[in-house]
Amino acid sequence: MRLLYSLLMYAATPLIFAYFGLRGFRDRRYWQRWGERLGWSGAAPRAGAIVVHAASMGEVNAASPLVGALLNQPSPRPLLLTTFTPTGSRRARDLFGARIAHQYLPLDLPGAVRRFLDRQQPALLVIMDPFMAIPILLSLTAGYSQSERRRVAR
């Protein structure tokens, strides 16, 4: 089942990028940072960071009390806030500025997710978007050994 899902995602990737390209006519930020959507570049690695995924502006607003509390810990872990939309990205910058790192979450492609995880090596992943939780968790565990799956599950 995972193989079929991955093949469909790979087949849909050109359509997704075409959508981003068309959206770029209204919001030029859709034409930027495409490498992050494939798991390349993005925020500087922050091994052991807490990654909070908030897909768009609404989820960023919902995550703001949690992110604020994490930032106010006596010795806070590094935070990486991921979004999927430019409006979510802008809202994250408006709320938290340079206190957090931001990056677009890569598309749900096994290679892109693996590159993202290998680069960031998060200690914890918090997913604010309930519809994305299952696909993200499937991507996190696809192709990993049992011991790596246990580490991800913690």
Side-chain angles (χ1 to χ4, degrees), residues 4-154:
L4 178 62
Y5 176 77
S6 294
L7 290 173
L8 288 172
M9 282 301 299
Y10 279 115
T13 298
L15 297 173
I16 294 167
F17 279 105
Y19 170 77
F20 290 155
L22 290 173
R23 286 290 309 247
F25 286 108
R26 276 198 276 164
D27 184 345
R28 304 249 186 241
R29 293 172 299 162
Y30 273 96
W31 291 344
Q32 301 167 355
R33 301 166 59 190
W34 285 27
E36 292 176 31
R37 301 203 186 264
L38 295 171
W40 289 305
S41 68
R46 295 175 169 224
I50 297 174
V51 175
V52 178
H53 175 63
S56 63
M57 185 171 62
E59 287 87 6
V60 172
N61 288 335
S64 65
L66 170 66
V67 172
L70 291 170
L71 288 171
N72 290 325
Q73 294 295 310
S75 56
R77 283 184 174 266
L79 284 175
L80 173 62
L81 184 61
T82 62
T83 62
F84 206 71
T85 66
T87 55
S89 174
R90 182 176 58 219
R91 182 66 177 152
R93 287 285 174 226
D94 290 347
L95 288 172
F96 305 111
R99 296 186 303 157
I100 56 132
H102 172 268
Q103 176 174 340
Y104 287 123
L105 189 72
L107 296 174
D108 193 12
L109 303 169
V113 172
R114 189 167 297 120
R115 279 188 295 275
F116 170 78
L117 291 174
D118 288 347
R119 180 172 166 84
Q120 295 300 333
Q121 299 179 1
L124 177 67
L125 174 62
V126 179
I127 304 168
M128 298 301 294
D129 181 357
F131 297 107
M132 288 301 299
I134 299 300
I136 290 172
L137 292 174
L138 287 173
S139 289
L140 290 175
T141 59
Y144 284 103
S145 68
Q146 282 292 81
S147 63
E148 289 170 318
R149 286 184 192 159
R150 282 191 293 274
R151 182 184 65 81
V152 168
R154 282 187 249 148

